[in-house]
Amino acid sequence: MTPSTERARRVYAERYDTQPAGVWVAPGRVNLIGEHTDYNDGFVLPFALPHLIAVAAEPSSTGRWTVYSESAGTEATFGVDDLVPGTVDGWAAYPAGVVWALHDGGLRPPPARLVVASDVPVGAGLSSSAALECAVLTALVDLGGLDLPLPRRPSVAQRAENAYVGMPCGIMDQSAATLCRAGHALFLDCRSLDIAHIPCDLAADGTAVLVINTNAPHRHVGGEYAARRATCETATAQLGVAALRDVGLDDLPRALARLDDVARRRTRHVVTENQRVLDTVAALRGNDLPGVGRLMTASHASMRDDYEITVPEVDTAVETALAAGARGARMTGGGFGGCVLALVDADRTAAVAAAVAGTFAARGFAAPEAFVATPHGGATRIA
Ligand code: ADP
Ligand code: MG
């Protein structure tokens, strides 16, 4: 298929009979490790995908914003008066939320006409929502010459999703879509917002990250996500800490003894997952790929048993990939469906993908899709 960048430009020209002023992109992402740690002030380690959402755009003299999505096949128009959370709904709430969040931050995004085309699968845990927000944000910041340095952009996009769309996501996805660097994973401290670009050139070491989209239907995502956050907040209050990030591994047994069974397991996941992120960074820096694999598999067990955010398709993909020789495998993203990452020797990717497809067929699951992912750069203007 034609890349999203070309489609955005083409659809723009067809709809409006003129060329856009420019094309901006933002990538989807996978999270190598560090799940449900972001809203606990912890650590994450995503990298951006070559799958992009592209926005072709041009300033508009109408004083309003018009957004068309190729995949949705619909157009939405809104003005400054509509910039009240809840006024624009459906997919257009994401771009409207970005305009609102910029306004709310004291900036004046220029009215514009935008066309969105995407190569990021929707709802697969690859963060199409943040890619959409960040592509629109980057376009508006550039078109308007707005004073919004790169490090401040993720929180504006996050605010669009939290306060306008109404999804209480953490800051990982927007940070990945904005700040990632090609060939690197992004280590992010979600409290200080400090980042480090960690070299992640797996191909040079003869391995690959295989992304397996289970195509499992998402179940209860919003409610379960909110429930996990609520349990973490309760545990935080009971333990008298600012965030679960503040519970160290050494304090863990004492802290867990003070919690009920569910809060205990949720807390154990968050605290041990934070440590696994730090250990993965060290393993990547030390070229210890078997170590990275073991940490990924341990992370999956923790998500399955303690955080209880996996589903049968996801667990099956992980087990089958490991049985077919993967060095490690884990679910990536918020859970209840979505994608699995498997760290695989480069010459085994097709065999592992085929093994998972075979098991899925035998169990009557929807057919999975798999691709090898190499770390891509963050949001930028491309034309
Ligand atoms: P994920 O971010 O994991 O893909 P979300 O549920 O957070 O899943 O976000 C998906 C939503 O983002 C879609 O339901 C839609 O509203 C919006 N979205 C993503 N991509 C597009 C697109 N190309 N066009 C319009 N809306 C999109
Ligand atoms: Mg999302």
Side-chain angles (χ1 to χ4, degrees):
M1 189 156 83
T2 328
S4 56
T5 48
E6 289 310 312
R7 299 199 320 276
R9 199 199 314 264
R10 194 189 65 220
V11 172
Y12 193 98
E14 284 169 6
R15 280 184 76 78
Y16 303 119
D17 213 16
T18 179
Q19 291 297 323
V23 180
W24 290 261
V25 295
R29 62 99 189 95
V30 290
N31 189 21
L32 200 50
I33 197 158
E35 226 62 73
H36 288 260
T37 45
D38 61 352
Y39 56 80
N40 287 300
D41 274 4
F43 308 121
V44 294
L45 191 63
F47 69 77
L49 293 172
H51 302 62
L52 306 174
I53 288 194
V55 169
E58 183 175 44
S60 160
S61 55
T62 62
R64 295 168 69 78
W65 291 268
T66 300
V67 194
Y68 176 79
S69 163
E70 181 199 33
S71 55
T74 54
E75 183 178 272
T77 300
F78 48 89
V80 177
D81 294 344
D82 301 312
L83 297 181
V84 175
T87 308
V88 178
D89 57 8
W91 69 268
Y94 294 87
V98 168
V99 173
W100 170 81
L102 285 167
H103 257 267
D104 205 53
L107 295 166
R108 292 292 166 263
R113 204 158 57 179
L114 307 101
V115 166
V116 177
S118 176
D119 292 329
V120 185
V122 171
L126 302 179
S127 202
S128 66
S129 58
L132 177 56
E133 292 148 13
C134 294
V136 169
L137 179 81
T138 311
L140 293 176
V141 165
D142 270 9
L143 281 177
L146 306 183
D147 179 21
L148 188 65
L150 217 52
R152 284 174 43 209
R153 295 183 191 182
S155 55
V156 175
Q158 181 199 17
R159 205 161 139 56
E161 186 152 346
N162 288 171
Y164 201 98
V165 177
M167 169 63 187
C169 59
I171 190 132
M172 168 170 68
D173 297 349
Q174 293 79 7
S175 300
T178 307
L179 304 174
C180 276
R181 197 177 275 177
H184 294 73
L186 180 77
F187 172 75
L188 172 67
D189 178 334
C190 298
R191 170 171 281 169
S192 66
L193 300 187
D194 286 343
I195 61 168
H197 298 284
I198 312 296
C200 187
D201 183 7
L202 300 170
D205 297 304
T207 56
V209 171
L210 185 69
V211 181
I212 302 161
N213 184 353
T214 63
N215 282 320
H218 267 65
R219 308 166 177 109
H220 325 297
V221 189
E224 294 285 359
Y225 185 91
R228 294 302 178 285
R229 285 194 75 140
T231 303
C232 290
E233 276 162 30
T234 308
T236 297
Q238 281 174 347
L239 296 174
V241 290
L244 290 185
R245 145 72 172 278
D246 298 309
V247 181
L249 267 188
D250 296 345
D251 310 333
L252 190 57
R254 215 165 353 135
L256 296 183
R258 297 170 57 193
L259 300 171
D260 69 28
D261 175 57
V262 171
R264 183 179 306 138
R265 288 184 293 123
R266 305 296 188 250
T267 300
R268 185 166 56 199
H269 166 74
V270 173
V271 174
T272 59
E273 184 80 348
N274 273 331
Q275 186 60 45
R276 282 187 289 270
V277 177
L278 298 175
D279 292 347
T280 302
V281 169
L284 279 174
R285 285 195 161 130
N287 256 326
D288 173 15
L289 292 177
V292 173
R294 280 193 297 275
L295 288 158
M296 290 171 69
T297 305
S299 169
H300 187 78
S302 179
M303 291 190 286
R304 181 190 61 213
D305 302 336
D306 276 351
Y307 224 64
E308 296 182 285
I309 51 172
T310 67
V311 292
E313 290 89 336
V314 158
D315 292 331
T316 298
V318 166
E319 285 155 23
T320 309
L322 291 172
R327 292 162 177 251
R330 65 182 292 276
M331 182 184 75
T332 185
F336 306 101
C339 291
V340 161
L341 304 183
L343 186 66
V344 180
D345 289 344
D347 58 359
R348 293 280 303 158
T349 55
V352 170
V356 174
T359 309
F360 270 44
R363 298 198 182 167
F365 296 156
E369 288 158 296
F371 59 89
V372 170
T374 47
H376 198 270
T380 187
R381 180 176 191 153
I382 58 126

